[in-house]
Amino acid sequence: MKAVVTVMLKPGVLDPQGKAIGQALHTLGFANVGEVRAGKVIELELAETDPTAAKAQAEEMARKLLANTVIEGFRVEVAG
Amino acid sequence: MKAVVTVMLKPGVLDPQGKAIGQALHTLGFANVGEVRAGKVIELELAETDPTAAKAQAEEMARKLLANTVIEGFRVEVAG
């Protein structure tokens, strides 16, 4: 069973990487780009068949390792 | 209109970051973790109201800047 953990900086936390991407896009001529936020995505293959249990495990992994919960938030999606 | 670009290494391309995350998860006691792949996610705020046009723009940005299409693939989702 596959779990996808998306980790983004919390709203209000300065995101220099996102800012740099936004400026680069403007330089390339993409004028209608507003705010840009950059984050991480981690795809996990889990030996677990129950979606609820898989989601709970992935959330624990996110809290313990994948995200810095002081400045980052995360969401978990589970797919077949 | 918000576009979310997810950039992942192509299948077959070695992913040392994902490997390192997988090993760290095993060390933490998450025994049922199989393959782990790490990628990037970029959330873009676009001054565009047509979803099809917004998606096309985000795809062009991914090709030109956000992804290295030699080794990375990307997908674009557009949300209200």
Side-chain angles (χ1 to χ4, degrees):
Chain A
M1 177 144 259
K2 203 167 108 174
V4 179
V5 181
T6 306
V7 180
M8 300 294 294
L9 286 168
K10 286 182 178 169
V13 178
L14 202 68
D15 179 359
Q17 194 189 355
K19 277 265 184 304
I21 293 170
Q23 282 168 11
L25 287 171
H26 277 275
T27 306
L28 286 172
F30 295 102
N32 66 352
V33 179
E35 210 198 344
V36 180
R37 306 281 291 172
K40 293 174 286 187
V41 57
I42 299 114
E43 293 185 359
L44 305 153
E45 198 55 53
L46 298 176
E48 174 66 59
T49 50
D50 177 40
T52 314
K55 190 171 183 189
Q57 280 174 25
E59 282 173 351
E60 205 192 336
M61 291 175 203
R63 270 192 301 273
K64 284 200 178 164
L65 181 76
L66 307 176
N68 174 355
T69 51
V70 177
I71 55 167
E72 292 171 328
F74 64 86
R75 61 176 183 273
V76 174
E77 286 148 66
V78 169
Chain B
M1 172 145 265
K2 202 168 107 175
V4 179
V5 180
T6 307
V7 180
M8 300 294 294
L9 286 168
K10 286 183 180 169
V13 178
L14 202 69
D15 180 0
Q17 194 189 356
K19 277 266 183 304
I21 293 170
Q23 283 169 10
L25 287 171
H26 278 274
T27 306
L28 285 172
F30 295 103
N32 67 353
V33 179
E35 211 199 342
V36 180
R37 306 282 291 173
K40 294 174 285 185
V41 56
I42 299 111
E43 293 184 1
L44 305 153
E45 199 55 54
L46 298 176
E48 175 65 61
T49 48
D50 176 40
T52 314
K55 191 171 183 190
Q57 280 174 25
E59 282 172 351
E60 204 192 335
M61 291 175 202
R63 271 192 301 273
K64 285 200 178 164
L65 180 76
L66 307 175
N68 174 356
T69 52
V70 177
I71 55 166
E72 293 172 328
F74 63 86
R75 61 177 183 273
V76 174
E77 286 148 65
V78 169

